[in-house]
Amino acid sequence: MDESSSLSAQEILHLREANARLQVQNEQLLAEQAAMRTEKGELLIEKELLLQELKELKRVVFGQKRERFVPAASANQLSLPLEDGPTEPVPTLKQTIIYERAVKQAAKVAIRGGFPSHLPRVDVVIEPQEDISGMRKIGEEITEELDLKPASLFVRRYIRPRYVSKEETFHIAALPTRPIEKGIPGPGLLATIIYDKFVSHLPFYRQVQRYEQLGMKIPASSLEGWFEACCSVLEPLYESLKAQLLSSNYVQVDETPIPVLDKQKKGETHRGYHWVYHAVESKLVLFDYREGRGREGPKELLKNYRGYLQTDGYGVYDMFESRQDIVLVGCMAHARRYFERALDNDKGRAEKVLLWMQELYAIEREAREQNLGAEDRYVLRQTRARPLMEELENWLLTERLEVLPKSAIGKAVFYLIPRFYKMAMYLEDGRLEVDNNLVENAIRPVALGRKNYMFAGSHAGAKRAAIVYSLLGSCKLHGINPYDYLIDILQRLPLQPVNRLKELLPPFWKPANISPIPQPS
């Protein structure tokens, strides 16, 4: 008789109940184990993300600002032998590489070779101390030095004699038209005020200090008032620039923040935005100030625009996909930044994409160096760039299954995939650029200004700044001296017919053939 047969029915029931409890406990432990494994996986992912954020923070604080990429295979750097134990000597291989590269000729610096001929000369003749009477001059030695005459204020007086005829009729000459009607400042002073703030980035309070050193105490409120009056004169020209830019069929757009004082926000500034539009072919820049970064700004400004619109990956611009008269073009530079930041996370994959993009940019550089037109650039891209773009697209579609979406390399891959067709749009027209860098270059003066005058005094002040940035930014693209331009148009705008405002825009501007304003000797 075995042991089991000696157990009573009640004992068997207890054993079964204990076995059932053990099975339940086992299932609970297995569930807890699975949960812990899941939690471990999540913690590992979170750890990876935190490490990536730490690397990004170190990069911002300590790293270089430039985004230059040097492939590991070509980086000729020394490495430190940190491994334990003896290291075998690495044989040195020598390789001779010969290639040709176009080098831009540096601008000649006039120091030892003489100064530029357009600079005025002041001759100082120094005779010998000896008596030269009876001597014959056989030549002279000329020694040049470069000096500076500080800026100076002066008062221009318009003296208008009064005459009376035999018929007792009075006659007096009319005053010349001035930028600010019945205003104190002349065009030279107004141009200097604008130039100093928006080119030299001197806020008004620093200009006040400088004018005081020149012998005239001008309150900052006066400078602000004169600047506001100038912008009222310049506003019709700004509207003409806007119309001219929107009549083109290829525009790049980007946005940049600007702090603005707001009476409704005591103790803090409002975050406004300059939306910057760049017409590539006509070389015009338009700054459009908006109080926010929403879609209302570009939607309103571009409601009648037709053509290519090149943007970064900001989602606001996706609203234009539904319009048949606008073709969105992507920016390779923005996509490239994600992969450059992913080098610390997944060097192999990130380097692969960066090398592809490096080859694509090399093709664009070659087109610029050869000064190719739109048609020739289109042919070059079809022959050499399109196969590279197809390889990159296939690689992205394959690797998206292998990367973690929240990792740095995953963010780069999943950022580019839905935008790839926009980025590849530059292949379809030789006039299009591979990236949005031209409009980003136009934004730089705003970034420099933020570091100096820090904020705009009001929303109206930010709009006035947009007027000046637009005109001076367009001058820069056309190689026009902004100071000369401002002096000229401030004199001409009050009398310029509305239907001829286009003549004063930088692409069409020619200095007026008018009598120069009298200057002190």
Side-chain angles (χ1 to χ4, degrees), residues 13 52 56 165 197 236 260 286 296 306 317 455 476:
L13 180 62
Q52 184 64 30
E56 282 294 314
S165 65
K197 179 165 184 177
V260 182
L286 177 73
E296 297 80 11
R306 293 176 176 82
Y317 304 114
F455 52 80
K476 182 179 179 180

Side-chain angles (χ1 to χ4, degrees), residues 369-480:
E369 291 172 352
Q370 296 180 11
N371 199 24
L372 297 182
E375 293 183 4
D376 292 332
R377 188 155 70 158
Y378 171 79
V379 173
L380 178 66
R381 287 171 174 174
Q382 297 303 311
T383 305
R384 294 173 53 188
R386 184 173 289 279
L388 292 173
M389 291 291 284
E390 291 174 353
E391 289 181 28
L392 175 57
E393 183 179 21
N394 293 333
W395 182 88
L396 289 169
L397 296 175
T398 302
E399 293 300 318
R400 67 178 178 175
L401 305 174
E402 304 294 331
V403 297
L404 293 174
K406 291 186 178 181
S407 65
I409 190 64
K411 289 179 181 178
V413 169
F414 286 99
Y415 171 88
L416 182 52
I417 287 176
R419 298 170 176 85
F420 189 86
Y421 74 97
K422 297 178 189 175
M423 192 181 75
M425 185 58 64
Y426 85 101
L427 299 173
E428 307 304 325
D429 194 324
R431 296 174 300 166
L432 302 179
E433 297 293 330
V434 68
D435 55 36
N436 226 18
N437 285 350
L438 291 177
V439 71
E440 289 193 355
N441 292 340
I443 289 175
R444 288 179 182 175
V446 180
L448 292 173
R450 280 197 300 259
K451 295 179 180 179
N452 288 273
Y453 50 78
M454 296 184 292
F455 52 80
S458 63
H459 295 296
K463 291 180 179 179
R464 289 192 286 270
I467 293 174
V468 177
Y469 278 132
S470 301
L471 294 170
L472 298 190
S474 300
C475 281
K476 182 179 179 180
L477 293 178
H478 287 274
I480 296 173

Side-chain angles (χ1 to χ4, degrees), residues 162-174:
R162 292 181 178 178
Y163 296 94
V164 62
S165 65
K166 294 179 180 179
E167 293 80 14
E168 298 297 324
T169 303
F170 291 93
H171 297 271
I172 187 172

Side-chain angles (χ1 to χ4, degrees), residues 57 65 78 114 136 151 294 326 362 371 378 511 520:
L57 181 61
K65 303 302 179 185
L78 296 177
R136 179 168 55 88
I326 288 182
N371 199 24
Y378 171 79

Side-chain angles (χ1 to χ4, degrees), residues 61-122:
V61 177
F62 305 111
Q64 295 182 351
K65 303 302 179 185
R66 62 182 181 179
E67 300 172 353
R68 182 185 178 190
F69 166 65
V70 179
S74 62
N76 185 19
Q77 298 179 345
L78 296 177
S79 58
L80 296 177
L82 301 179
E83 297 83 1
D84 295 332
T87 58
E88 297 181 0
V90 179
T92 303
L93 300 178
K94 294 183 179 181
Q95 184 180 17
T96 302
I97 301 176
I98 301 176
Y99 66 96
E100 294 182 359
R101 182 180 65 179
V103 179
K104 293 183 179 180
Q105 188 173 5
K108 294 182 179 179
V109 181
I111 295 181
R112 296 187 180 180
F115 300 114
S117 58
H118 67 270
L119 295 180
R121 262 64 176 175
V122 177

Side-chain angles (χ1 to χ4, degrees), residues 200-211:
S200 300
H201 309 293
L202 286 177
F204 285 145
Y205 77 89
R206 291 185 191 169
Q207 295 189 40
V208 168
Q209 297 170 357
R210 194 179 71 170
Y211 290 127

Side-chain angles (χ1 to χ4, degrees), residues 171-277:
H171 297 271
I172 187 172
L175 272 172
T177 304
R178 293 185 289 172
I180 302 177
E181 188 177 358
K182 298 181 180 180
I184 295 174
L189 178 57
L190 293 173
T192 301
I193 291 171
I194 296 174
Y195 183 94
D196 284 348
K197 179 165 184 177
F198 293 95
V199 179
S200 300
H201 309 293
L202 286 177
F204 285 145
Y205 77 89
R206 291 185 191 169
Q207 295 189 40
V208 168
Q209 297 170 357
R210 194 179 71 170
Y211 290 127
E212 192 169 357
Q213 293 171 356
L214 295 176
M216 182 72 181
K217 190 169 183 178
I218 305 176
S221 58
S222 296
L223 296 181
E224 292 171 1
W226 295 344
F227 171 65
E228 183 176 347
C230 273
C231 289
S232 297
V233 176
L234 296 172
E235 189 170 3
L237 189 61
Y238 170 80
E239 294 297 329
S240 178
L241 186 151
K242 182 190 299 184
Q244 187 68 25
L245 180 138
L246 294 175
S247 67
S248 64
N249 59 3
Y250 175 28
V251 170
Q252 298 175 329
V253 59
D254 202 354
E255 68 285 337
T256 186
I258 176 172
V260 182
L261 290 182
D262 193 335
K263 294 180 180 179
Q264 298 180 356
K265 295 184 177 181
K266 294 184 179 180
E268 59 182 15
T269 58
H270 173 82
R271 190 178 178 88
Y273 282 87
H274 280 308
W275 295 76
V276 187
Y277 302 84

